[in-house]
Amino acid sequence: MYARVIVDVPTMQTNQPYTYQIPSLFSEVLVRGMRVVVPFGKGNRLVQGFVTEIVDEAEKTDKLKDIMQIVELEPVLNDELLQLAIWVANYNFAFRISVLQTMLPNVMRAKYSKVLRLVEPDGLDDLPEIKALFIDRDEVPFDTDNVDMALVPTLLKLQKQRVLEIGYVVKNRAKVKKINALKPIKSVEFYEKQRSQLRPSAVKQARLLSYLIQSPRLFVPVKEVIKSYQLDYASVKQAESKGWLIQKPLESYRIPKLSTPVNKTQPLTLNAEQQEAYTNIANNISQNDTKTFLLEGVTGSGKTEIYLQTIAKALTVGQTALMLVPEITLTPQMVRRVKSRFGDDVAVMHSGLSDGERYDEWRRVQRSEVHVVVGARSAVFAPLKSIGLIIIDEEHESSYKQDENPRYHARDVAQWRAKYHHATLVLGSATPSLESRARAQKGVYQLLTLNHRATNSTLPETNVVDMREAIKQGGDDVFSPQLLAAVKNRLAKKEQIVLMLNRRGYANFLVCRECGYTPRCVNCDVALTVHKDISRLVCHYCGYSETIPTKCKNCGSTRIRQFGTGTQKVAEQLQQQIPQARVLRMDVDTTRKKGSVDRLLTAFGNQEADILLGTQMIAKGLDFANVTLVGVLNADTTLSLPDFRASERTFQLLTQVSGRAGRGDKAGNVIMQTFNPDHYAIQLARQQDYEAFYHQEMTFRHAWRYTPYYFTVQIKFEHEKVDESAKAAYEVANWLQNIVNNETIMLGPATGTIPRIKNKYYYRLVIKYRHDDKLMQALESLMQKGQQLQKKGVTIMIDREPINFM
Ligand code: ADP
Ligand code: ZN
Ligand code: ZN
């Protein structure tokens, strides 16, 4: 018997399974989808691998190596996921091993560490220092904790003489949490007799005995018993040695908790629009029919309620449901809503969890102990079986696309899985991506629309403030008089306010007012960003930092000032102008700690603050009835992004954030400050008119031949030398030019939007195409070619449907 194994070595040669011999010891237990440790390459270095197939025959059986270890006795990937991995890898020009690793919790990624192994003990006779390392052991971890680095030259010499060898060990970091539990083993009569014989001072023993008498004959966590019977560990230990009970470590799950308990909620009675959408989706779930719905509903139209009720439907027909939400921002509130309906039947998967929690939630899903999964992008790989429904909330969000290898889009993966399971896929948004909306237009997806808010409240009224005028009239460039007046008005009424500072495309750098000089990163072609909290200038691409200068490096002037603004500065300014306002700040700095988003939002929900001031992260999902004013400080900064989706992104962001206003009984208002008041993205966001935006934007996309009329692929080239990077880009461009068909358009090669990052130079090529099989084949062979270029130090990245044109 042989196993086909994908090894943990991400190169083109290893992008297919290798055949290994299965030692008889493992022949009974080894199955497809298990993790194993195998020797690899000339040096037989140990690496982790995934068994993708077990076969009876191998092509060449001589020189086949043995599987060394099995990592765990259950397979970690089922047939569906193994097939999916191949598809994801091929579709996104990625290596299979990186897809397999993306599918699993982080801790299942093997960690390799170096060890020193003693081969010839006699060779150390004259070297007491080194001999001492190997007292009682043949293997020493090769790191600074265990080995004095001064010994390294000698160690390397000994390695040459084959006295020692340097090897690698594969560490499995996936640890199951165990807690101690105890169980009574004697009869009630026995315990009663013991109790009657106790000394009066033995109070803890007496309490423990009353527990043993009353409790069921089951293992109960020791901690719980100690707590509820006011015992201590010593008393339990003592009882164990007397043979009153036994203790045993039990497996326990680390289930992520929310900051406050979740109350159970009942399904709401759907309104007519919701009912219509629900019926369509629910019928499709019953029919087990592969179908995609685009649920286009204005903000607050009750999409989430439809999600919850359709999930319930999937469960009643014996199927499972997967719900994706963008990033962690949305998760605490959304998780709360889902858990309030389905309780412990929900597993949560997102990057805000600890490694242990993620591993345990994954195992609960893997073992079919839960039927509902809520999570961010990578949760699309959750090992749910018999999926009946997949929901992608805010389907237009760019975070569904992974911006590193494998560069998959969760929507594509969801589509594949829906087909596999004959499941229903629901894409929900107030502002669908143009791609999805266009597919609905063509009838590929079924469009379901919700035009009204669920709670009878109307969509907020929006005013656009022209900042050019506002500044002329004596306002500053952060707060217009209109916005300040509106904020004060709401404060007086004890209503709440959400203020958004649009950080994307918005720099926060220093400029010399004399000569225009801006401090830039030494490694990258970007301006450094001011971080007042640590008093440094920081590069957001490589992390380089320096102290904030007091004088211009170029001309020596002290008139060096901050350009742009951050949330912290806005908060200070707000406090000066409206001292009585209680402000909560929400940005990357205030949400770094685990659970901080949940805490901030809970505090705001409890009206412990009047104003929630934040970056884009406050635009989505928040549902607070008392918020009646939303202010956007700079509506237009996203318009200047070097990206054909700049208008779409701006429109989406403004519509989303506007949707936070007036969700309760009180009417809401939105004020958008902008220097581009006439831009269609801003005007149509003001009217909350998605359909008009869609039609307008589609005419531009058509004219400029962009998505969804054309597909796009971006190829990026990276090298330490600018010439080499350019050379590779031009070579590939010339080669492709002769292959692709006439309709295909090639843009570039051009330097990256940021030409140099971390001392690497970037070139890129953007290809727009409609149907081009030859291009696809060429891109596949480019992966092979990439392998050769890699040897010359050039890295190639192929990005299908890129969302980031940096
Ligand atoms: P969306 O997800 O479309 O932005 P939500 O699902 O958050 O909208 O709904 C907005 C508000 O309307 C929520 O407070 C929700 O509880 C309420 N809601 C939704 N559906 C109903 C309904 N059928 N009856 C009463 N209230 C509803
Ligand atoms: Zn200067
Ligand atoms: Zn840098």
Side-chain angles (χ1 to χ4, degrees), residues 268-271 274 297-307 309 334 337 393-394 450 453-455 621 623 660 663:
L268 303 169
T269 310
L270 299 178
N271 63 36
Q274 283 175 313
V298 296
T299 53
S301 55
K303 295 186 288 295
T304 311
E305 187 60 33
I306 298 177
Y307 301 153
Q309 297 199 17
M334 193 57 100
R337 286 173 82 173
D393 185 34
E394 311 281 7
L450 305 174
R453 280 193 156 177
T455 53
D623 186 22
R660 304 310 117 211
R663 291 170 79 90

Side-chain angles (χ1 to χ4, degrees), residues 5 8 26 29-31 33-38 46-51 67-76 104 107-112 169-176 359:
V5 177
D8 183 8
F26 299 149
V29 286
L30 194 70
V31 295
M34 276 189 182
R35 289 197 292 162
V36 290
V37 176
V38 292
L46 292 184
V47 297
Q48 180 170 296
F50 294 89
V51 176
I67 288 187
M68 297 288 287
Q69 283 170 36
I70 294 184
V71 180
E72 65 252 289
L73 287 172
E74 299 156 274
V76 295
L104 296 171
V107 287
M108 295 175 93
R109 207 162 286 193
K111 211 174 157 189
Y112 301 98
V169 288
V170 186
K171 266 202 220 145
N172 181 17
R173 292 177 300 143
K175 293 265 169 4
V176 171
Y359 177 52

Side-chain angles (χ1 to χ4, degrees), residues 360-385:
D360 288 358
E361 290 291 78
W362 178 86
R363 284 190 307 143
R364 293 206 303 144
V365 180
Q366 168 83 353
R367 296 171 169 184
S368 300
E369 292 171 9
V370 294
H371 301 89
V372 181
V373 169
V374 188
R377 183 180 59 228
S378 65
V380 76
F381 296 112
L384 281 171
K385 296 175 193 92

